[in-house]
Amino acid sequence: MASLAATEPAACPGATPAAESIVPACMFAPDRGCADDLSGADDFEDGEGTNGESADHLHLSNKLVLVSPSGEQYDSLFRHLREQIDEGCGETIYVVGMGSDGGDYGLDEKDMEASVATVRSLCEQIEADLILLRERTDTGGRIRDYLIRRRVGEQDFLEVRVAVVGNVDAGKSTLLGVLTHGELDNGRGFARQKLFRHKHEMESGRTSSVGNDILGFDQEGQVVNKPDSHGGGLDWTKICEKSSKVITFIDLAGHEKYLKTTVFGMTGHLPDFCMLMVGSNAGIVGMTKEHLGLALALNVPVFVVVTKIDMCPANILQETLKLLQRLLKSPGCRKIPVLVQNTDDVIVTASNFSSERMCPIFQISNVTGENMDLLKMFLNLLSSRTNFNNDEPAEFQIDDTYSVPGVGTVVSGTTLRGMIRLNDTLLLGPDPLGTFIPIAVKSIHRKRMPVKEVRGGQTASFALKKIKRSSIRKGMVMVSPKLMPQATWEFEAEILVLHHPTTISPRYQAMVHCGSIRQTATILTMNKDCLRTGDKAAVHFRFIKTPEYLHCDHKLVFREGRTKAVGTITKLLQAVNTQAAKAQQAKLLASKKTFREGSAANEEAASAARPPSPNAAQLPLKSGGGGRRRGGQRHRGKGLNAATISTAVPAGAAGTA
């Protein structure tokens, strides 16, 4: 069926001829064959309440259905295309000239023109753009692959987040510098200098923080990043205005001592995909396996980029690729590695990539720019993995805080669900007592561009009213009051120990990463006496510092030194009693107030009791509190005798605070 082949252009045997691709077509979707597609088509037709004639089914699964469809068929095609676009979060790959009824693939010139005209009219109704990706010939004629992408407004764009991981010196920051700034590297660290945020990073050439960089694509799939000719900086607002799709790269640290930051980047920034970088001359060393294991544990689809192929001898490159394929096929990964060598491979892998089984491998050079176009095309075809419902109550997780002069407190993070508009009042929390406070959103920015609203799955930063930066920490959330949020001290989780040198038993403490939450937790009880590497268990945890806002079924990473475990939260226990917490807060505020009033009264009494001394009059007093003044007088009066000091500071003043 022409429309059903949309997202799985190579799901049926023979979909891509041997000459076109080096990979057998059915390899990508071993559990989905042509029979499933046909049964799906039947269900779809019956479900939509059409006349259900077998001729109609046969006709809709035929490659000629797009040539001159009847009204009923046109409606079915329209509904199906709309579903495919919703499923692909605003875009899908659509194949014209391939049926799923077992006939020859390909259409002649006249039928192809008529089919394309039908698809174009469907796109106009959906308000989407039709972009030709490739054209190929088969036994029956020509086949075309099109990218259909929904049009977005001036202030909106599709967003895909890609985490960039790999060992130190694999070329992560250099590749991002080349991709985002459009200039090749000189082999001496020229490209990466534009991305570093700190002085020590520039000196050592090593990333130590979570960097964010963007790559914009327009409707035609062309890169819109144009660096400033003077400073070489990027104007994010201009890129976002011109782009219909923006790839956000989360540049993570490769060095082992920054693993904590890398884990936070993978859990807190919610990447859709993971780009694993391997230096072809060094091979799979150091943290490469560690980062790959982390991506697999969090169920993030991985694609591999092998860099520095211009300086690597051919035999070493082959050895690295062989090792990489062996690692990806191993029982721990169970991936299907595919070496991407031409545009056909890019289209086949991109359309089957979200299945998580496939792992494309790109070989690139940042100095010569070899195969860079294939990588850019692949990034343009990636579509976001998660669908979000805008009708749900809003929830936003905070992963960074800033204090901006003239603006005030700013928080950045990811909208998990729902929609947040300007001037909305949300609940911010939990604070150390587990309470949530109402807060108004003063302004919203997406990629440094002011907007009026954000939806689920989008990253944004909010300026907040009447709150200090010190009272906000990473891991807090902003939620709709409808959710009536509650903070939790204790929770149960199913965990799997990936590595531990000895045994884990109750009262063991380690750092728990869950979303943007990062806090030490203690194991209270578990359903086994002790845990070793490879063991699974249900474990009862308790946070040691502050309660957190959690959900069931959230993934967590549990680590301490070389110990690593992954798991899923199964049950929330001991929620904070908000009424008691609020009463405690009020009590604290009242006690602070009485303390301040008492100290102010003491100070007034002391100043009244102080006699006018000539020495004290000569000494210039500081404008601070009583304690500060005494300190200043002692400091200046070192040369004076004890009697002078005793007259300058009477006994009554010694009690003031």
Side-chain angles (χ1 to χ4, degrees):
M1 176 172 166
S3 53
L4 274 166
T7 50
E8 302 266 356
C12 310
T16 312
E20 295 286 324
S21 173
I22 55 162
V23 191
C26 268
M27 193 160 147
F28 306 130
D31 51 348
R32 254 189 94 168
C34 304
D36 291 349
D37 275 5
L38 276 170
S39 63
D42 291 357
D43 293 345
F44 176 75
E45 284 301 305
D46 295 342
E48 295 299 333
T50 56
N51 54 17
E53 286 172 20
S54 58
D56 251 6
H57 292 309
L58 201 115
H59 204 44
L60 267 177
S61 61
N62 196 326
K63 64 185 180 184
L64 297 169
V65 69
L66 288 164
V67 178
S68 56
S70 66
E72 217 166 278
Q73 289 165 346
Y74 187 88
D75 289 346
S76 296
L77 289 168
F78 174 74
R79 278 195 301 269
H80 196 262
L81 178 59
R82 195 171 57 196
E83 276 179 21
Q84 296 282 20
I85 287 179
D86 289 341
E87 201 179 297
C89 297
E91 58 188 21
T92 185
I93 293 174
Y94 199 90
V95 187
V96 178
M98 265 174 59
S100 54
D101 58 352
D104 286 343
Y105 295 145
L107 293 170
D108 59 29
E109 186 75 37
K110 194 176 161 191
D111 288 346
M112 178 58 79
E113 292 305 318
S115 298
V116 170
T118 307
V119 176
R120 209 175 288 281
S121 77
L122 287 167
C123 290
E124 284 306 317
Q125 276 193 277
I126 295 174
E127 293 185 344
D129 288 302
L130 191 67
I131 304 143
L132 178 65
L133 294 176
R134 65 169 172 170
E135 188 172 350
R136 59 194 198 279
T137 49
D138 206 308
T139 48
R142 291 188 301 164
I143 302 170
R144 286 184 186 176
D145 292 56
Y146 284 96
L147 173 67
I148 297 176
R149 181 176 288 164
R150 189 176 279 149
R151 290 184 198 123
V152 288
E154 272 280 298
Q155 299 291 305
D156 201 8
F157 48 85
L158 302 170
E159 186 186 349
V160 175
R161 287 185 293 280
V162 177
V164 185
V165 295
N167 195 42
V168 178
D169 305 333
K172 296 183 291 297
S173 299
T174 302
L175 174 63
L176 296 194
V178 171
L179 283 173
T180 56
H181 288 74
E183 290 179 68
L184 292 173
D185 190 38
N186 63 354
R188 293 278 177 277
F190 167 73
R192 69 184 180 202
Q193 291 298 327
K194 301 184 177 87
L195 304 188
F196 288 144
R197 298 168 64 184
H198 303 292
K199 186 169 175 277
H200 68 264
E201 290 182 336
M202 288 187 183
E203 286 164 359
S204 68
R206 286 183 178 162
T207 308
S208 65
S209 57
V210 177
N212 272 301
D213 306 287
I214 63 170
L215 179 64
F217 292 99
D218 62 12
Q219 297 288 12
E220 300 298 315
Q222 301 300 316
V223 176
V224 299
N225 289 37
K226 292 284 179 286
D228 181 9
S229 52
H230 301 294
L234 294 173
D235 187 341
W236 284 31
T237 311
K238 276 186 187 168
I239 292 171
C240 294
E241 281 171 359
K242 291 179 189 168
S243 302
S244 67
K245 180 175 198 170
V246 170
I247 307 284
T248 304
F249 292 109
I250 304 158
D251 188 12
L252 302 175
H255 200 283
E256 188 169 3
K257 72 175 177 183
Y258 303 126
L259 179 65
K260 180 176 85 167
T261 308
T262 304
V263 173
F264 177 72
M266 286 288 283
T267 56
H269 289 257
L270 300 175
D272 293 304
F273 303 101
C274 179
M275 179 158 82
L276 179 70
M277 311 278 290
V278 177
S280 57
N281 52 350
I284 298 159
V285 288
M287 301 298 288
T288 309
K289 288 181 183 174
E290 199 85 34
H291 290 165
L292 177 61
L294 182 62
L296 293 170
L298 296 169
N299 287 343
V300 180
V302 180
F303 63 98
V304 181
V305 176
V306 178
T307 57
K308 307 185 189 182
I309 61 169
D310 57 293
M311 64 176 278
C312 182
N315 61 328
I316 303 288
L317 176 62
Q318 287 308 313
E319 192 63 37
T320 301
L321 290 173
K322 204 182 287 179
L323 275 170
L324 186 59
Q325 286 169 318
R326 194 185 302 159
L327 173 67
L328 292 169
K329 285 176 181 171
S330 66
C333 293
R334 302 217 316 280
K335 297 267 183 196
I336 302 164
V338 181
L339 283 173
V340 176
Q341 290 166 331
N342 52 36
T343 52
D344 290 350
D345 296 345
V346 172
I347 292 160
V348 170
T349 50
S351 48
N352 291 282
F353 185 47
S354 55
S355 67
E356 294 182 22
R357 280 297 306 278
M358 181 181 290
C359 181
I361 301 172
F362 295 86
Q363 302 165 59
I364 62 143
S365 164
N366 291 317
V367 175
T368 63
E370 192 180 336
N371 292 339
M372 201 64 79
D373 292 340
L374 296 180
L375 182 59
K376 284 180 185 171
M377 184 180 179
F378 180 76
L379 290 168
N380 180 39
L381 296 179
L382 286 180
S383 56
S384 182
R385 285 190 308 143
T386 39
N387 259 323
F388 293 93
N389 184 1
N390 294 333
D391 303 330
E392 292 178 350
E395 188 178 329
F396 178 86
Q397 74 172 22
I398 296 169
D399 53 43
D400 224 334
T401 63
Y402 311 91
S403 188
V404 181
V407 177
T409 306
V410 173
V411 297
S412 72
T414 312
T415 317
L416 299 178
R417 57 181 65 81
M419 189 183 276
I420 301 173
R421 295 184 178 84
L422 214 55
N423 299 319
D424 274 5
T425 299
L426 299 169
L427 295 176
L428 171 73
D431 62 9
L433 290 171
T435 56
F436 289 78
I437 53 165
I439 196 105
V441 176
K442 196 161 61 173
S443 73
I444 305 176
H445 279 66
R446 272 187 77 196
K447 306 277 171 261
R448 305 179 191 170
M449 183 171 77
V451 292
K452 290 189 171 66
E453 60 182 32
V454 285
R455 297 186 195 87
Q458 297 178 346
T459 51
S461 49
F462 299 153
L464 304 179
K465 290 179 182 173
K466 296 175 187 166
I467 190 157
K468 287 180 183 169
R469 184 191 171 192
S470 56
S471 57
I472 302 175
R473 60 187 170 80
K474 292 178 186 180
M476 284 174 111
V477 291
M478 290 168 63
V479 294
S480 163
K482 289 180 195 167
L483 284 171
M484 294 191 290
Q486 283 210 318
T488 311
W489 275 107
E490 296 176 18
F491 62 94
E492 265 182 26
E494 280 278 344
I495 69 161
L496 165 67
V497 181
L498 301 176
H499 176 75
H500 186 61
T502 56
T503 59
I504 296 175
S505 49
R507 294 208 298 280
Y508 179 81
Q509 290 188 346
M511 185 70 78
V512 168
H513 291 261
C514 178
S516 59
I517 294 165
R518 185 166 66 178
Q519 197 187 146
T520 307
T522 309
I523 293 179
L524 296 181
T525 56
M526 51 192 187
N527 61 2
K528 288 186 178 179
D529 293 338
C530 61
L531 294 178
R532 291 183 174 84
T533 302
D535 285 358
K536 264 187 177 177
V539 180
H540 182 171
F541 289 97
R542 180 181 172 86
F543 288 119
I544 65 164
K545 195 176 177 192
T546 55
E548 301 283 6
Y549 181 67
L550 296 170
H551 287 289
C552 284
D553 299 327
H554 262 198
K555 289 249 177 278
L556 64 88
V557 176
F558 178 72
R559 59 157 204 89
E560 186 253 344
R562 301 205 60 82
T563 301
K564 271 162 220 76
V566 293
T568 311
I569 295 173
T570 53
K571 194 175 171 189
L572 303 180
L573 310 156
Q574 200 191 344
V576 172
N577 183 345
T578 46
Q579 295 299 323
K582 277 178 185 168
Q584 198 177 342
Q585 210 166 15
K587 208 175 184 181
L588 276 171
L589 284 170
S591 63
K592 272 185 187 173
K593 201 173 176 184
T594 52
F595 176 74
R596 277 187 200 137
E597 283 169 2
S599 63
N602 280 352
E603 208 163 303
E604 278 170 27
S607 61
R610 190 178 293 133
S613 156
N615 293 325
Q618 284 162 16
L619 293 171
L621 295 179
K622 288 189 181 177
S623 57
R628 259 203 213 161
R629 274 203 298 278
R630 291 201 312 280
Q633 287 175 2
R634 277 197 206 104
H635 184 67
R636 291 170 196 280
K638 272 181 186 169
L640 302 174
N641 59 19
T644 320
I645 292 170
S646 64
T647 51
V649 186
T656 59

